[in-house]
Amino acid sequence: MHVTSEQRLDGDVRERRFTLGEIPGILWTPASASPSAPVPLILLGHPPLGLHKMYARLVGRALHSAAEGFATATIELPGSGDRPRLPALDQARADLRRVLTAGEPVSDEIIDAVVLPLVDQAVPEWQATLDALLALPEIGGPVGFSGGVISIGVRLAAVDPRIAAAGLFAGSFVPRSTYEEARRVTVPLHVLLQWDDEGNDRQAALDLFDAFGSKEKSLYANMGGHTGVPQHAGDAAAQFFTRHLK
């Protein structure tokens, strides 16, 4: 893990940009974090739009978490930002846009082609990042995962025992295999659903929630579309991580 730049943000939050091999990432730590007082960590997922486009939202989430005593980190997803393009994934996304524009149903084959290659590459990269972050003396765990592509969060929570709790954003297209993986997820879950999200299948989100094997799982649904998430939804997510990571 190579730190490429560092700055201080509101409340003396330390922001470090880093690279792990070819993967760019950002780590935020609260002023309270130190080798004598290591803090829990939340991994911040995001859609594949690139860290530059997502930075304002991510830093807002990071500052909110730092105020609660958490370190947070994120990485650039495969094929996004300045990382090399993935031609097969770009083609699958073009096929998805064509079908949606034509008003045609989206097949399982297109969903698999759009989502699964991203999950297959991103999850091992998140795990490698977690290895590097947990080696830092000021970060001690436990670890949560928050937001982003829900299929990535499901896979990571299913395969990595270091994930102690997950806050997932319902939405996006979900491969059939993700429902099976969800049955293996047993950590506490907090799932956010925008009830009128025009770009997502509400019933698919409900079916996925039902599939999770967790004994403690909560569905936090709000009226409104994709961009209408209310402020108190973030407060509820913060309370969830405070309960399970502290």
Side-chain angles (χ1 to χ4, degrees):
M1 178 177 167
H2 174 64
V3 175
T4 58
S5 68
E6 180 175 329
Q7 65 174 331
R8 298 281 177 170
L9 305 178
D10 296 347
D12 206 26
V13 175
R14 185 183 183 190
E15 178 187 275
R16 282 170 281 181
R17 292 180 179 263
F18 64 87
T19 56
L20 189 67
E22 66 171 18
I23 308 166
I26 311 174
L27 169 65
W28 295 273
T29 49
S32 60
S34 69
S36 61
V39 295
L41 172 68
I42 300 174
L43 304 177
L44 299 182
H46 54 89
L49 300 176
L51 285 182
H52 178 71
K53 290 183 178 180
M54 292 302 302
Y55 176 77
R57 294 187 201 175
L58 288 165
V59 76
R61 292 163 63 190
L63 292 174
H64 192 280
S65 296
E68 301 295 328
F70 294 107
T72 51
T74 193
I75 57 173
E76 188 75 86
L77 290 174
S80 295
D82 294 329
R83 296 189 63 181
R85 305 304 303 174
L86 301 176
L89 189 56
D90 288 341
Q91 181 59 55
R93 289 170 177 165
D95 293 340
L96 175 62
R97 288 192 295 271
R98 174 181 53 78
V99 168
L100 291 174
T101 300
E104 300 172 358
V106 181
S107 68
D108 288 344
E109 289 75 17
I110 290 179
I111 293 174
D112 286 354
V114 168
V115 178
L116 292 181
L118 184 63
V119 174
D120 289 344
Q121 186 170 338
V123 169
E125 291 180 353
W126 270 119
Q127 291 181 292
T129 303
L130 191 51
D131 290 340
L133 295 175
L134 290 178
L136 299 175
E138 68 270 30
I139 297 176
V143 180
F145 184 87
S146 173
V149 178
I150 196 168
S151 294
I152 292 177
V154 171
R155 172 79 63 83
L156 187 61
V159 302
D160 198 314
R162 294 173 294 184
I163 302 299
L168 304 177
F169 297 170
S172 71
F173 294 98
V174 181
R176 292 294 174 186
S177 59
T178 300
Y179 292 89
E180 294 305 315
E181 291 179 332
R183 303 184 197 284
R184 295 159 43 202
V185 175
T186 58
V187 299
L189 290 176
H190 178 91
V191 181
L192 174 64
L193 171 64
Q194 285 300 103
W195 198 251
D196 305 303
D197 193 334
E198 61 282 354
N200 294 310
D201 186 331
R202 181 197 303 164
Q203 190 58 53
L206 295 174
D207 291 343
L208 181 60
F209 180 78
D210 188 54
F212 284 117
S214 303
K215 292 182 179 179
E216 180 182 336
K217 55 182 179 179
S218 299
L219 182 67
Y220 194 97
N222 298 283
M223 305 303 291
H226 188 73
T227 59
V229 180
Q231 176 62 43
H232 59 75
D235 297 336
Q239 292 167 8
F240 166 79
F241 282 119
T242 297
R243 287 198 308 273
H244 293 289
L245 300 184
K246 285 193 171 182

